[in-house]
Amino acid sequence: MDLVRLSRLFSGPCPMGLAILQHLVPLRARWAGGREGPMWPRAAGLIRLAPAAFSSSLSRLPLGPRSQKNTGSLSSDPGQPSPTATQEEGEEESFGTLSDKYSSRRMFHKSTAQLYNLRLKEQSVEEDEEGELQPEAWQGPRNTPYWYFFQCKRLIKEGKLAEALDLFERQMLKEERLQPLECNYTVLIGGCGRAGYLRKAFQLYNDMKKRDLEPSDATYTALFNVCAESPWKDSALQSALKLRQQLQARNFQLNLKTYHSLLKMAAMCADLRMCLDVFKEIIQKGHAVTEETFSYLLMGCIQDKKTGFRYALQVWRQMLSLGLRPSRHGYNLLLGAARDCGLGDPAVASVVLLRPREEMVLLQPPAGGRQARRRDGVGADDRLSAWLHVEALERQLFLEPSQALEGPLEPQEAGAPGKAQPGVETKAEPDRAVALPSAAPEPPPWGLEANLLTPGAVPSAVVSFGTVTTPADRLALMGGLEGFLGKMAEHGLRPDIKTLTLLAEVVEPGSAAASSLLTVLDAHQVEADLTFFNTLMRRKSKLGDLEGAKALLPVLAKRGIVPNLQTFCNLAIGCHRPGDGLQLLADMRKSQMTPNAHIYSTLINAAVKKLDYAYLIDILKDMRRNRVPVNEVVIRQLEFAAQYPPTFDRYKGRNTYLEKIDGFRAYYKQWLKVMPAEETPHPWQKFRTKPKGDQDTVTVADVDRGPGGRSKTLV
């Protein structure tokens, strides 16, 4: 169609072009499907053709109302959008979306029940996390932070640290959403300190700092205490040193209680040198040194098992020279040093304990100095005097053997030491040394006259130490049983059950002093406990006196004390014959008590020493019958018993001791397959709390467990 025909179409007597245009505009978008293609510009171009023809033809035609309306729309300004154009643009935006409705199909991928189960678990975990982020509103009565402080304090005193932590973290913080105070954190850190829960204590401390709460002196005291009580000393020492550096960087002044906690940490986790460094810092800061301060120094001495007893005696003398009155706890620490630690080099011990040098004589405090210190505080003169005491003590403690022999001592020039009584040697004449009558049939029942606990109380005839190897020898250096109790009476102290239990561990077994312990117990009106009698039984059993250990059982019944598993374990130490061990197991069965792994380990140890494989099999059968879990010690003992000796040759000769080893090895192999193993619990396991709903945690291993497999992990 050319332009001439098109002009004729609109200029004719019957204007059919207008009717066509009326239907062309609504159908344009339907034909084009909403696309912005070249059809609309061409249609617009067709309308703009021959403007003169359009205007002339339209002017000659008699238009009706409808035609006038359409004509007005055509003759309006093309720059302004019309309502029809707006409708067309909306239809163009939906172009290409109809195929999703009619031509799309669902795709089905292959899956397994395990993957579907894992997807459901992940969905449940997400829902649980959302529930934790948005906890339910608290329905109970509104409490205050001080109420939670007293409740946590009560639970910690009752030994319920896990319940106190759950009360604070779940109910107070999550449910009631209260803002905690410094006291809330401090009481929980203190509870963690008594239990040695190091990680939780520092976690609470960090949370406390994030909430902009200022820690108090009690908070730092509890933090140093948790480091001292932690079962992992190396990591605890690192945490304590880091905390101490932070406090020094802030120039934070510690009080005496916090220093004592720091000194306890140094004693338990470090060595005596660090204890003395902290001790010097206490003096520099102007704090008054008390008996408790020296108690922590004694704890540091006990950590040195080789020379700790000499260190403890030197620290004790230093405390007495300062005019401090010892306590019962200090005497108990001395007994612990005598039980666990040695004297060290006898030459050095003789120099520092018997005849100190002139430059090592410690300064005596002036008369009334203690009262003046209490009245006026610690002055500069007192601090200087105490500093000199500490310096002299440090030189004495870490004296080398070569330095000890440099200065000639008059008593040591008398002669060479001879075979002495366990403890000391004496000098009868200036030319030779004579030992005390160690060959006497009965030594003095209450110990020696020499007592090293008091400075200057050593007789001038004593020149050097002899053989000091056993705890009884070290007790003899402190005056024996009578001399030790006499020193306690001089300071107005009475022994408690812990003191008498320690004395039972250090006295000579089978001596008159050991037999008189029950008399001393009744004389001081001390109520005996099961630990005291268990100690007496263990001492008798180690000597092989099983009947003497059993003789204490009626004494227990008379005093109304019920035996426990530790009592039978002490009796098992004296069961060297198979009949005694099997009879002990039968007696426990009659008493309706199940032996534990420690009792079986003690019996196995006696059987292995004699290579009695028949006795070993009987013990293992009883252990299997009672289903007692096996620990690492028992496995190590049995593995040693199941090994052939290095020089064993069954074809060379007959060995009567190893005739039944093959039968034991066969039974032991089958026994291992059916026995349960004992899992060593984590020290902090009982303090870790679960969420309130016992929520399950999904692990990767759940994918291989099949449908319904779930695993619970403790948070």
Side-chain angles (χ1 to χ4, degrees):
M1 179 183 296
D2 53 1
L3 298 178
V4 178
R5 293 180 180 179
L6 184 60
S7 61
R8 291 178 180 175
L9 181 63
F10 287 95
S11 61
C14 183
M16 298 184 63
L18 293 178
I20 295 174
L21 286 176
Q22 291 177 3
H23 295 279
L24 179 63
V25 174
L27 293 178
R28 176 190 56 81
R30 193 176 303 169
W31 292 341
R35 294 178 302 181
E36 294 182 2
M39 182 176 291
W40 174 245
R42 288 197 299 267
L46 293 176
I47 297 175
R48 291 191 181 97
L49 292 176
F54 284 133
S55 60
S56 62
S57 60
L58 291 175
S59 63
R60 292 195 300 266
L61 289 176
L63 299 178
R66 183 176 181 181
S67 300
Q68 293 178 1
K69 183 179 180 180
N70 294 335
T71 306
S73 64
L74 287 174
S75 61
S76 62
D77 188 4
Q80 296 181 358
S82 61
T84 308
T86 305
Q87 181 180 0
E88 293 170 356
E89 291 177 0
E91 294 177 356
E92 289 177 0
E93 293 179 358
S94 62
F95 175 75
T97 59
L98 297 178
S99 60
D100 296 336
K101 182 177 180 181
Y102 296 102
S103 63
S104 62
R105 58 182 300 271
R106 298 184 65 181
M107 303 296 294
F108 296 93
H109 300 279
K110 292 184 177 180
S111 180
T112 59
Q114 291 83 359
L115 293 176
Y116 182 72
N117 190 25
L118 179 61
R119 191 178 298 110
L120 292 178
K121 293 176 183 177
E122 292 176 351
Q123 183 179 359
S124 62
V125 169
E126 292 177 357
E127 294 177 356
D128 295 340
E129 291 178 353
E130 293 177 358
E132 292 179 358
L133 294 177
Q134 298 178 357
E136 297 181 359
W138 175 249
Q139 301 296 334
R142 302 293 296 181
N143 300 309
T144 62
Y146 289 103
W147 183 86
Y148 282 101
F149 165 74
F150 289 112
Q151 291 299 319
C152 292
K153 186 177 180 179
R154 177 184 59 82
L155 290 174
I156 291 174
K157 284 186 176 181
E158 297 175 358
K160 301 177 181 180
L161 178 60
E163 288 79 356
L165 291 172
D166 181 70
L167 178 68
F168 173 75
E169 294 178 343
R170 180 181 55 81
Q171 182 172 333
M172 179 179 177
L173 298 184
K174 293 183 179 180
E175 295 181 359
E176 287 207 41
R177 302 180 185 179
L178 294 177
Q179 178 66 25
L181 303 178
E182 175 269 334
C183 60
N184 297 113
Y185 283 99
T186 301
V187 69
L188 292 175
I189 294 175
C192 294
R194 299 180 187 91
Y197 199 172
L198 178 67
R199 182 180 301 175
K200 191 64 178 180
F202 276 90
Q203 180 183 349
L204 292 171
Y205 173 66
N206 294 330
D207 190 17
M208 183 181 184
K209 292 191 297 183
K210 292 177 182 178
R211 293 179 181 270
D212 292 333
L213 296 176
E214 185 66 25
S216 62
D217 292 332
T219 308
Y220 294 119
T221 303
L223 287 174
F224 285 124
N225 186 59
V226 72
C227 295
E229 299 293 340
S230 175
W232 292 279
K233 303 302 181 183
D234 294 336
S235 61
L237 179 60
Q238 297 299 325
S239 301
L241 292 178
K242 184 177 179 181
L243 178 61
R244 187 185 182 189
Q245 291 175 358
Q246 293 176 357
L247 295 178
Q248 290 176 350
R250 294 169 46 195
N251 197 19
F252 187 85
Q253 300 297 326
L254 305 179
N255 58 13
L256 186 58
K257 285 291 184 181
T258 308
Y259 270 117
H260 283 169
S261 181
L262 178 60
L263 191 59
K264 179 182 178 182
M265 183 279 305
M268 302 298 293
C269 303
D271 53 4
L272 188 57
R273 291 186 181 272
M274 184 177 178
C275 293
L276 291 176
D277 293 339
V278 178
F279 192 80
K280 292 178 183 178
E281 186 177 344
I282 293 175
I283 298 175
Q284 286 179 350
K285 298 299 182 180
H287 295 292
V289 178
T290 62
E291 185 275 334
E292 185 180 359
T293 311
F294 281 92
S295 297
Y296 292 118
L297 283 180
L298 290 174
M299 295 172 61
C301 297
I302 296 176
Q303 301 305 315
D304 191 338
K305 303 303 179 184
K306 183 179 180 180
T307 326
F309 181 65
R310 174 172 71 84
Y311 291 160
L313 289 177
Q314 291 178 258
V315 171
W316 184 267
R317 288 183 170 188
Q318 177 67 58
M319 180 183 64
L320 295 180
S321 66
L322 290 175
L324 298 177
R325 183 179 179 181
S327 63
R328 185 188 296 113
H329 179 60
Y331 277 102
N332 292 341
L333 290 174
L334 276 179
L335 291 176
R339 178 192 62 185
D340 301 331
C341 306
L343 189 64
D345 192 348
V348 179
S350 301
V351 170
V352 298
L353 293 177
L354 299 180
R355 291 287 183 242
R357 299 182 183 181
E358 291 296 328
E359 62 269 16
M360 292 184 181
V361 176
L362 302 180
L363 300 176
Q364 296 295 332
R370 185 67 178 169
Q371 289 77 7
R373 207 162 35 242
R374 291 177 180 174
R375 184 176 60 254
D376 302 330
V378 181
D381 296 338
D382 294 335
R383 289 199 297 268
L384 178 60
S385 176
W387 179 267
L388 293 176
H389 279 75
V390 177
E391 290 290 338
L393 176 63
E394 187 175 7
R395 289 195 301 269
Q396 278 189 334
L397 288 174
F398 305 111
L399 185 66
E400 297 294 335
S402 58
Q403 299 175 357
L405 299 177
E406 285 178 1
L409 300 176
E410 294 180 359
Q412 290 182 350
E413 294 175 353
K419 203 78 175 177
Q421 177 182 353
V424 296
E425 295 177 353
T426 61
K427 182 180 68 172
E429 298 179 5
D431 296 334
R432 61 188 181 90
V434 179
L436 287 174
S438 60
E442 286 294 334
W446 298 104
L448 300 173
E449 295 181 359
N451 194 332
L452 298 179
L453 295 181
T454 304
V458 181
S460 59
V462 179
V463 295
S464 64
F465 291 106
T467 304
V468 182
T469 56
T470 63
D473 297 339
R474 295 187 281 271
L475 178 63
L477 293 179
M478 296 187 295
L481 179 61
E482 184 182 15
F484 188 85
L485 294 177
K487 285 296 178 183
M488 292 187 66
E490 289 180 6
H491 294 100
L493 300 174
R494 297 171 61 89
D496 57 358
I497 188 59
K498 184 176 182 180
T499 307
L500 295 176
T501 303
L502 290 171
L503 284 171
E505 294 181 351
V506 298
V507 295
E508 184 70 26
S511 62
S515 303
S516 62
L517 281 175
L518 289 176
T519 305
V520 174
L521 185 78
D522 296 333
H524 290 85
Q525 298 179 356
V526 179
E527 184 179 357
D529 60 355
L530 186 57
T531 305
F532 174 76
F533 284 102
N534 285 341
T535 303
L536 295 179
M537 288 185 183
R538 184 170 66 253
R539 300 283 287 181
K540 291 180 178 294
S541 297
K542 287 184 176 180
L543 291 177
D545 187 8
L546 181 60
E547 298 300 326
K550 289 182 178 180
L552 292 174
L553 292 176
V555 181
L556 285 175
K558 183 178 179 181
R559 294 177 180 264
I561 301 176
V562 180
N564 58 1
L565 289 176
Q566 183 65 34
T567 307
F568 289 97
C569 186
N570 295 327
L571 293 175
I573 297 176
C575 297
H576 300 295
R577 296 178 299 179
D580 296 335
L582 297 178
Q583 182 63 37
L584 178 66
L585 295 177
D587 293 340
M588 293 188 67
R589 196 178 304 114
K590 292 179 182 179
S591 302
Q592 297 181 355
M593 297 184 67
T594 303
N596 56 9
H598 299 285
I599 297 177
Y600 284 113
S601 176
T602 305
L603 298 177
I604 290 173
N605 184 37
V608 170
K609 287 181 178 179
K610 294 187 176 182
L611 296 180
D612 193 344
Y613 292 103
Y615 182 29
L616 269 178
I617 293 177
D618 292 337
I619 296 174
L620 296 185
K621 287 182 179 179
D622 191 86
M623 194 173 183
R624 180 180 179 179
R625 186 184 307 112
N626 293 321
R627 302 293 299 174
V628 178
V630 185
N631 57 15
E632 184 180 356
V633 178
V634 174
I635 293 296
R636 193 182 301 115
Q637 291 174 333
L638 295 176
E639 288 292 333
F640 175 78
Q643 292 179 357
Y644 289 108
T647 59
F648 175 68
D649 188 0
R650 67 175 69 249
Y651 302 105
K652 178 181 281 189
R654 183 178 180 182
N655 193 333
T656 57
Y657 292 100
L658 300 175
E659 287 181 351
K660 299 182 180 180
I661 188 173
D662 293 332
F664 169 74
R665 288 168 61 92
Y667 180 80
Y668 173 61
K669 184 177 180 181
Q670 298 297 326
W671 180 82
L672 282 177
K673 297 179 180 179
V674 298
M675 290 300 296
E678 180 182 9
E679 184 179 358
T680 303
H682 196 277
W684 301 337
Q685 186 72 27
K686 57 183 178 180
F687 304 126
R688 296 174 180 173
T689 58
K690 291 183 178 181
K692 188 175 181 181
D694 262 345
Q695 297 174 357
D696 298 336
T697 303
V698 180
T699 59
V700 179
D702 292 336
V703 180
D704 300 328
R705 294 186 183 179
R710 302 180 71 90
S711 65
K712 294 186 178 181
T713 58
L714 193 61
V715 178

